[in-house]
Amino acid sequence: MNYSKEDWGARYLAKDTPWNHGDPHPEVRRLIAAGEFPFPESGNRVLVPGCGPAHDARAIAEEGYEVTGVDFSEEVTPLATATLNGCGGKFLCEDALAHDPKEPYDLVFEHTFLCAIDPSLRPRYAEMISRVLRPGGLLAIIVFPVDRPREEEGPPSTLTIDDLTELLAGSFVLRSHAAVQSGRAGREWVEEFAVFERS
Ligand SMILES: C[S@@+](CC[C@H](N)C(=O)[O-])C[C@H]1O[C@@H](n2cnc3c(N)ncnc32)[C@H](O)[C@@H]1O
């Protein structure tokens, strides 16, 4: 199902937001603690598209990165702005698929954005990732829901590493992928962590 920005806004207004746990994804915390994320070699400029309440964006900004979180929902804007307050992170309320920064990013991190948009919009996601990342820049993504039956309507829509590899073919190579070790308790479907490098 194609959720409009009003549909997402209605979910925030109704506080019907099971994705908002009030903290970063546990795998983000685990990878940071293990010194495996973010990637110092990739550079400092980080984009978090579809950031929602911006908890992941804050965790990355607290590591000293220059983070921009983007979400098109006006209803999540006060929450995202408050989350990023004081950590140096910036929030933009706009369509992430149309995001066109003045300077390219070194790293895009995202979690539950690509799976939240309608699958018909995925080519636009690939265009956006190619446009916003510098050559050699990295897309780090928690891939979810890997094992959701494809016939079940999203969001979240089934997303696998093979789907992403196919979507990004020609402009990206898959650098690494691994099972998520610190998943969300009670989360129904499998999550994986993948890193793609822009050629
Ligand atoms: C399932 S929520 C996940 C939010 C966040 N990634 C998290 O884990 O808390 C999906 C988010 O994507 C946002 N979104 C969907 N389509 C978007 C678009 N085209 N541009 C910007 N944000 C979008 C929605 O407003 C919503 O906040």
Side-chain angles (χ1 to χ4, degrees):
M1 186 202 277
N2 194 354
Y3 255 49
S4 66
K5 92 182 179 150
E6 289 73 25
D7 293 326
W8 288 109
R11 297 283 298 265
Y12 283 111
L13 280 180
K15 298 202 175 0
D16 177 16
T17 53
W19 57 87
N20 183 7
H21 295 260
D23 59 3
H25 190 288
E27 187 71 351
V28 171
R29 280 266 182 256
R30 187 193 71 76
L31 289 164
I32 288 174
E36 294 172 23
F37 181 75
F39 308 99
E41 79 278 14
S42 74
N44 204 46
R45 283 176 50 77
V46 180
L47 172 70
V48 184
C51 68
H55 301 298
D56 296 327
R58 182 174 178 105
I60 297 169
E62 284 174 344
E63 294 304 299
Y65 290 76
E66 188 190 317
V67 178
T68 301
V70 176
D71 201 289
F72 67 3
S73 171
E74 281 149 32
E75 286 73 12
V76 85
T77 297
L79 184 53
T81 307
T83 303
L84 291 172
N85 186 30
C87 71
K90 178 170 88 176
F91 177 78
L92 296 177
C93 183
E94 63 176 47
D95 181 355
L97 298 176
H99 187 53
D100 194 8
K102 287 203 179 81
E103 252 188 90
Y105 294 95
D106 302 302
L107 171 66
V108 174
F109 170 77
E110 77 106 322
H111 157 226
T112 55
F113 173 51
L114 178 55
C115 71
I117 64 175
D118 192 76
S120 66
L121 295 173
R122 288 183 179 183
R124 286 195 60 207
Y125 174 95
E127 283 166 23
M128 180 273 287
I129 297 289
S130 298
R131 181 173 65 242
V132 305
L133 269 179
R134 66 167 172 78
L138 302 175
L139 166 66
I141 174 168
I142 294 181
V143 184
F144 165 88
V146 170
D147 57 340
R148 187 171 191 203
R150 288 198 189 266
E151 61 275 16
E152 287 181 15
E153 197 173 36
S157 301
T158 311
L159 180 66
T160 66
I161 291 180
D162 283 350
D163 293 339
L164 263 163
T165 305
E166 194 181 323
L167 185 69
L168 300 173
S171 319
F172 285 82
V173 288
L174 178 59
R175 200 167 108 157
S176 64
H177 63 98
V180 158
Q181 292 179 35
S182 292
R184 283 273 184 223
R187 195 160 246 193
E188 198 176 339
W189 300 292
V190 168
E191 301 175 284
E192 293 171 335
F193 183 66
V195 179
F196 290 83
E197 183 171 336
R198 189 184 180 298
S199 30

